[in-house]
Amino acid sequence: MRTLEDLLRPNIRALQPYSCARNEYSGHEARVFLDANENPYNAPLNRYPDPEQRELKKVVARIKGVKPEQICLGNGSDETIDLAYRCFCRPGIDNVVAIEPTYGMYKVCADINDIEYRPVTLNSDFDIEADRILGACDANTKLIWICTPNNPTGNDLDYDQITKILNNFDGIVMVDEAYSDFTHRRAFRYELDEHPNMIVLNTMSKAWGLAGIRLGMAFARKEIIDVFNKVKYPYNVNFLTQNAARDAFKCAIEVSKWVSTIILERNRMTEAFKMLPMCKRVFKSDANFFLAEMVDADRIYQYLVECGIIVRNRSRVTLCHNCLRITIGTKTENNELLSALRTLSIR
Ligand SMILES: *Cc1c(COP(=O)(O)O)cnc(C)c1O
């Protein structure tokens, strides 16, 4: 059984983190800040933001049902994906195992960090098989990447299979729940205490409607979060983002209304797609998008571009031949897509 110490890169285990000016005093009420070479004018943006994002983490903890010390905040979840590689994976030596198809950034970050990436194809129901994932691992496998609901397939992956991986892998299991607001299944972030080797990723970019502010979250036991916080850039989440996120978390009711509307529209759109002659199959979605198998995805994609409507062509992705991924928009936008497709005569 490998411990956290065994899993960390030796240079990260030994790292002395950068000490921010404002971390070095404590226990006094500070009034005059002449420590960080800031400009005294142009408040409040003249000041460096809180590197530990303490106020924001209190709010995140309450909304997400985790403890503040179990949270690392990043410049989008993309930063926390990269952090996992930088903390655990030795370039040129270690490897990671991931479901296939899935979110593209896991592989891009593996390539940037010079880490071998081992994709394991999902079964024909787009579901995960624990034994095949575990079978692809060896002594140098540090991370397993799981995304549920999965992108681009849209479905929740089997809970028992994921749990089996969590219970049988002695490295780190990354569970990306970017779309968990759109499913009824209980989120894995509530099981941090049961799974000391799990890191759950969340984002403000989807249900919360804040892709523009760049805020991602990693949830894990304190010992792992301490390492992430040591490795991340000290001021990775800027002042404007910290404030915007705090304000947004006050609007949880508004967000749950958006989510309900999006789910209703998703159901309407998938039913409408099933009636289209050029649509061969619609896959079940637990997210704010769905995957549809078309008769000629490239041609339909191109036609929609000419109509000024952009969807995602996933035709060349494993298991997704001739598939388009459709994000759920407003009712008006969705209707525009439907009427464009109804005008096109291909079958
Ligand atoms: C959209 C998405 C994200 C979000 O990334 P951010 O950097 O937080 O915007 C993360 N994971 C998956 C699977 C996604 O589809």
Side-chain angles (χ1 to χ4, degrees):
M1 198 66 194
R2 293 177 291 180
T3 64
L4 181 57
E5 297 292 297
D6 299 331
L7 290 168
L8 289 170
R9 286 169 67 189
N11 59 313
I12 299 300
R13 203 188 303 139
L15 180 69
Q16 260 321 105
Y18 176 72
S19 174
C20 304
R22 231 132 277 172
N23 281 350
E24 287 175 356
Y25 72 90
S26 64
H28 295 277
E29 195 60 49
R31 292 175 298 110
V32 179
F33 292 102
L34 305 176
D35 57 345
N37 300 346
E38 296 152 334
N39 188 321
Y41 310 111
N42 202 35
L45 293 181
N46 60 331
R47 299 296 174 193
Y48 281 102
D50 176 8
E52 296 168 42
Q53 306 110 5
R54 279 164 290 203
E55 289 305 313
L56 177 54
K57 278 182 191 169
K58 278 187 216 161
V59 182
V60 173
R62 187 155 34 80
I63 295 273
K64 295 290 183 174
V66 301
K67 302 193 188 89
E69 60 271 23
Q70 295 173 321
I71 304 170
C72 174
L73 300 177
N75 188 325
S77 17
D78 289 348
E79 182 187 359
T80 58
I81 291 168
D82 191 53
L83 269 176
Y85 285 103
R86 291 163 67 210
C87 291
F88 292 108
C89 301
R90 294 168 296 175
I93 301 172
D94 289 331
N95 67 74
V96 305
V97 169
I99 58 167
E100 173 82 3
T102 192
Y103 185 47
M105 281 304 287
Y106 313 144
K107 173 153 196 316
V108 171
C109 289
D111 291 345
I112 291 169
N113 287 285
D114 191 19
I115 304 302
E116 183 196 346
Y117 186 85
R118 300 183 174 182
V120 175
T121 307
L122 296 170
N123 67 23
S124 55
D125 295 327
F126 290 147
D127 218 333
I128 188 169
E129 292 176 3
D131 291 338
R132 289 182 44 232
I133 296 279
L134 294 168
C137 298
D138 65 17
N140 287 339
T141 306
K142 292 290 185 68
L143 310 175
I144 292 177
W145 288 99
I146 295 171
C147 179
T148 181
N150 189 28
N151 178 1
T153 59
N155 57 310
D156 273 331
L157 302 184
D158 188 90
Y159 176 88
D160 295 330
Q161 295 293 306
I162 296 175
T163 302
K164 184 170 178 185
I165 292 167
L166 284 162
N167 291 337
N168 289 282
F169 180 55
D170 69 354
I172 302 288
V173 182
M174 304 294 302
V175 181
D176 188 341
E177 294 193 317
Y179 300 99
S180 62
D181 302 82
F182 300 100
T183 172
H184 296 297
R185 198 216 51 224
R186 185 180 152 82
F188 275 94
R189 67 170 184 275
Y190 296 116
E191 299 185 11
L192 290 179
D193 294 341
E194 286 82 349
H195 301 299
N197 60 338
M198 177 172 70
I199 300 176
V200 174
L201 305 184
N202 271 207
T203 177
M204 296 295 270
S205 300
K206 307 291 155 65
W208 290 87
L210 287 170
I213 73 169
R214 312 305 300 131
L215 188 74
M217 299 155 247
F219 307 128
R221 72 174 147 116
K222 180 180 182 301
E223 291 75 12
I224 293 176
I225 292 301
D226 287 346
V227 178
F228 269 32
N229 284 335
K230 185 166 94 161
V231 172
K232 74 172 184 65
Y233 288 165
Y235 305 111
N236 63 329
V237 180
N238 71 64
F239 179 90
L240 298 171
T241 296
Q242 292 191 39
N243 280 356
R246 262 158 63 194
D247 289 346
F249 279 121
K250 292 179 193 142
C251 307
I253 299 192
E254 176 84 10
V255 171
S256 65
K257 283 184 197 157
W258 289 339
V259 168
S260 311
T261 306
I262 289 168
I263 291 173
L264 284 176
E265 277 294 288
R266 177 187 77 203
N267 298 342
R268 184 178 74 91
M269 289 296 284
T270 52
E271 290 311 306
F273 258 67
K274 286 176 192 167
M275 309 295 283
L276 293 171
M278 79 272 291
C279 177
K280 285 166 70 177
R281 192 169 164 193
V282 178
F283 296 97
K284 183 183 177 303
S285 169
D286 302 293
N288 66 335
F289 60 86
F290 65 93
L291 194 69
E293 187 189 345
M294 312 302 276
V295 287
D296 186 347
D298 287 342
R299 213 181 122 196
I300 297 166
Y301 174 80
Q302 211 43 53
Y303 162 77
L304 289 172
V305 169
E306 282 154 25
C307 300
I309 300 170
I310 314 300
V311 299
R312 195 88 153 110
N313 188 355
R314 299 282 76 185
S315 244
R316 270 158 284 279
V317 169
T318 312
L319 296 183
C320 300
H321 182 62
N322 261 331
C323 286
L324 298 178
R325 193 193 69 190
I326 318 284
T327 305
I328 304 303
T330 63
K331 198 171 177 117
T332 315
E333 293 169 331
N334 300 335
N335 286 341
E336 256 201 71
L337 170 64
L338 288 177
S339 45
L341 289 174
R342 283 170 185 148
T343 319
L344 177 68
S345 61
I346 91 176
R347 48 188 72 230

